[in-house]
Amino acid sequence: MIPPAAFFVLAVVLFVLGIVAFFVKKDLLTQFMAVEIMLNAGNLALLALAKAPGRADAQALVLFVITVAAAEAVIGLAIIVLVFRQRKSIRTDDLKDLKG
Amino acid sequence: MARYFWLIPLLPGASAFVLLLFGRRLARRWVAWQASASVFLSFTLTVAALAKLTAAGGGAAPLSKTLLSWIVSGSFSASVAFAFDEIAAVMAVVVTGVGFLIHVYSTAYMADDRAHFRYFAFLNLFTFFMLVLVMASDIVLMFVGWEGVGLCSYLLIGFWFDRPAASKAGLKAFLVNRVGDAAFIIGILFLLANVGSSSFAAINAAPGSGLLAPGLVTLAAILLFVGATGKSAQIPLYIWLPDAMEGPTPVSALIHAATMVTAGVYMVCRLSGLYAASITASAVVAWVGAITAVFAATIALVQNDIKRVLAYSTISQIGYMFIGCGVGAYAAGIFHLVTHAFFKSLLFLAAGSLIHALGGEQDMRRMGGLKKPLPVTFPVFLVGALAISGIPFLSGFFSKDAILTSAFAGGHHVLYGLGLAGAVLTAFYMFRLVYMTFYGEEKASCEPGAHPHEPPRAMTIPLVILAVLSALSGLIGLPVLFGDRANLIGRFLGNAFGSAAHHLAPSTEAVLVVAATLSALLGIGLAFRFYRRFPDAPARLSRRFPAIYRLLAGKYYVDEAYDAALVRPIIRGSEWVHRHFDLKVVDGALNGSAAAAGLAGKGLNILQSGLLRDYALAFLMGAVFFLGFLLL
């Protein structure tokens, strides 16, 4: 039996990887995947921490999060596709129209 | 019909409303007809209500009607309610009767004016507000009428607003009245705070019931009287009335002679309970009236503009009314108000007919010999002049005598003396005017080729009616010499004021009547000597006493004194504030804060790189900082 702490460590590792990937990579698609990894790391951490008291609430919650994340991923990807169509680029360094 | 007395103010009001909205599109004849008809209907209603009031006899409850509840706040309430008692009845008859005649006169006088409909709309609006003032049953609603007539006065003085003098005169009238009205409002608030009710009945009863301490009664009465000096053109706020003559002549007759300017007298009579309770306030009223009566009459002696002579005469005559109120003879004050409304509007309208005949000439030095070419205007003007001078059995004789007799009977001998001196001056300046304009050689002052001619009948008929009223209206107030019950108006108003306290021996009263007659004849005789027998005498006299002549011709330099003491310092102070405060402090603060916001924006701009990574980093650092804060 794998101890719950191991799951938690994995979650932390995944989350840090997500952060690093978000800052290192320069295209919107990869950065979006990094965000998804961080989200799932969060899910995993929630499950790992909820394993100890042995309750099912967290699992139900995580199922919800996965559903919502699916919807969010659809919208996010659609936005990225539209940005690419408009700009012929999804490099975040090119997308700095908000510069004041 | 008397049941519908509350329609009296509303009819001209409704007509004004229609004319203001649609007047431009209505036919000129219809506009004039509608305006006059609405006032005539009011007049018939007024007469019906008056008949009901007289039929009911003394002590009858006044007609009253509450239209709507207006202000309700805590224990205080004011409503739009009209009351028609004896004082209001007399005043309303004058306002609607003289008002109707002047509307008719205006249909001819203003027939060719560009803004014909605007004139009649304002005239109707004035009648509405004046009747609201007269019939209001509480002081708050009266104040609405009070301000409304002031507004209409301003609008009509400046009616020919493309003439700079007219628009300036309108502004002057409005601003001078603001000074008086500031005191008037304070007086009203003072009464409301102490009495707790705005109705005249409650205010008049307050001194007796101890709601108002004697000192407070005096203070409130004097504050209200300051408002009256503005509206009724008394010292020190009379200066707007002579300039108000820039308005059309029928307006001078209606607003600045017969009705609005007597509103102050009416107000004092309405609050007679308050004024009677304060000896000091009554003395102030009487003395201001007496001094104004003589002061304005002396200025009238040397004026050359025919309308200005009449304006100073109006100021002087209103002074007489205030003498009456101040010595407790309220009925005599109202009586003089009525007769004055008749003869002074007659004089103004006749002067208007004269000016009309001469193609707009107002300077008496360029008139003369108009007796023959104006066979209607001359006799009616003469009747008015004789009436105001106090020639026996004409209206002015009885009403002025009623005031002077009451002053004498009350022991105010100095006031009586001033009044008598004023009567000599009045007769003198009126007949100076008559001799300068109607007698002497004819001076071709109107445009060449045109003859001075009588105006159309719409103007002459009101003149004749007013002349008859000026001659005969004195008979409603015969002195006690003619019997105890001869003074009809005194007995009628006595229901509202209580009867006059003082009685004189018949022999004393006969002496006073003779003295008044002699003073009138003396004034006329002097005018005859100076302006008919020896026409070069006035010039010699003015050379002999140049200082006095210049002082009078300069109107005592009161306008100049106000200008130097008040107007110019205010303008200079305003300019200083504009330069040093508005431009520097106010504009500086505004521009400064705008610049500060701009600078702050520029500084914060650096944070907005537009790069996703920078925002994400800020987010991460924020999250780390927040978590760290939670954990530690």
Side-chain angles (χ1 to χ4, degrees), chain B residues 558-628:
Chain B
V558 172
D559 273 315
E560 285 75 6
Y562 279 157
D563 197 46
L566 294 169
V567 179
R568 252 170 307 151
I570 287 175
I571 291 177
R572 266 207 301 272
S574 310
E575 277 167 356
W576 189 88
V577 169
H578 170 70
R579 269 199 312 279
H580 291 94
F581 185 75
D582 275 49
L583 286 185
K584 292 195 177 145
V585 179
V586 176
D587 288 10
L590 197 67
N591 291 337
S593 61
L599 270 178
K602 279 224 179 68
L604 292 170
N605 222 348
I606 303 165
L607 296 178
Q608 300 288 333
S609 66
L611 279 175
L612 185 58
R613 258 177 307 143
D614 291 352
Y615 298 125
L617 186 64
F619 183 73
L620 182 70
M621 275 161 53
V624 167
F625 176 79
F626 185 64
L627 280 177

Side-chain angles (χ1 to χ4, degrees), chain B residues 334-360:
Chain B
I334 292 276
F335 180 31
H336 195 55
L337 190 161
V338 173
T339 59
H340 174 260
F342 293 145
F343 59 66
K344 189 53 70 61
S345 55
L346 168 65
L347 289 170
F348 264 113
L349 294 183
S353 141
L354 204 136
I355 294 166
H356 176 90
L358 295 177

Side-chain angles (χ1 to χ4, degrees), chain B residues 232-234 241 256-258 261-262 265 288-297 300 309-325 332-341 343-345 347-348 384-390 395-397 399-401 403-404 419 421-430:
Chain B
S232 296
Q234 297 294 293
L241 188 61
H256 305 121
V261 288
T262 56
V265 180
V288 168
I291 294 169
T292 309
V294 176
F295 176 84
V309 174
L310 294 177
Y312 281 108
S313 161
T314 303
I315 298 174
S316 165
Q317 294 300 311
I318 297 170
Y320 278 100
M321 299 173 205
F322 278 121
I323 298 178
C325 296
I334 292 276
F335 180 31
H336 195 55
L337 190 161
V338 173
T339 59
H340 174 260
F343 59 66
K344 189 53 70 61
S345 55
L347 289 170
F348 264 113
L386 290 168
I388 191 177
S389 304
S395 61
F397 167 74
S399 58
K400 203 182 292 181
D401 187 57
I403 288 172
L404 294 180
V424 179
L425 296 173
T426 305
F428 180 81
Y429 67 66
M430 277 321 297

